Amino acid sequence: MRTALLAECAGGPGLAEVSVSAVVRRAGVGRATFYLHYEDLPALAVDACADVVHAAVDALHAWQTGPAALPPARPPAALAGFLAGAAGHGALYRTLLPPGGGGPLGERLHRELRARARAERLAAGAPNADLVASAVAAAFTGVLADWLHGLIPAGPEGLAERIWPLLLALHRAGAPAG
C-alpha cells in the first residue's frame, strides 16, 4: 500500500487529491485491508515516508567513518542526493511537513534525527548531547520543510551547501567555553 500511495502521489498531486479507493485499487487489496492497517491516508503516508526519514538521517551522517572522525568542511554528496529525492516527492511531503517542520513527518524526522545525533555525541564523549542534538534536529527539519514549501530558494546542491555550515556551527556551539 505504501508503494501504491507513492505512485498515486507521483507527478504532482498531493495527498488531498488521492483517495483510499485509488490506493487500494493500485495495491490490489480491499478497503477492509486498508482500514485494518491504517486509520486514514495520512497514517499510510507517514508510514510510506518513513524511508525519507531514515534517508535524511543517513545523509546527514554519511561523512562519518568512525566516532572520532571530524566533519568535512563541505557537505557529503549524500545530503544533496537526499534533497533531490525529497524534491521529487515534494507534493506529498509538503502535506505531511508544513512550514516550520511540524506535522507528522516533521515530528518523526525530528525525533529520529535527534536520537541519532544524541547517541553519536554521547558515544564520542561530546558535551551537551541533548542540547546540540535537539538544535540540529530542529534546524534541519525546519529548513527542509521551508525549502520544500518554496520559502528558501535553492536547488538541492545549493541548499546542502548552505545548511551544512549551519549544522556544523550548531555542533561547535555545543562545545564547552574555553
Side-chain angles (χ1 to χ4, degrees), residues 60 63 71-76 79 160-168:
L60 287 172
W63 58 271
R74 297 192 45 99
L79 180 55
E161 291 288 338
R162 291 170 63 190
I163 196 170
W164 189 250
L166 172 65
L167 299 175
L168 293 180

Side-chain angles (χ1 to χ4, degrees), residues 45-143:
V46 170
D47 188 39
C49 294
D51 289 344
V52 76
V53 171
H54 301 299
V57 173
D58 289 345
L60 287 172
H61 296 90
W63 58 271
Q64 293 176 319
T65 56
L70 295 175
R74 297 192 45 99
L79 180 55
F82 162 75
L83 293 169
H89 291 291
L92 176 59
Y93 297 160
R94 282 188 294 276
T95 302
L96 302 170
L97 185 65
L105 188 57
E107 291 168 10
R108 187 167 183 170
L109 177 58
H110 184 276
R111 185 174 55 250
E112 291 191 26
L113 185 54
R114 183 185 184 285
R116 173 97 172 253
R118 182 180 183 279
E120 289 175 354
R121 286 189 69 82
L122 288 172
N128 299 311
D130 290 324
L131 175 69
V132 172
S134 185
V136 166
F140 183 78
T141 303
V143 168

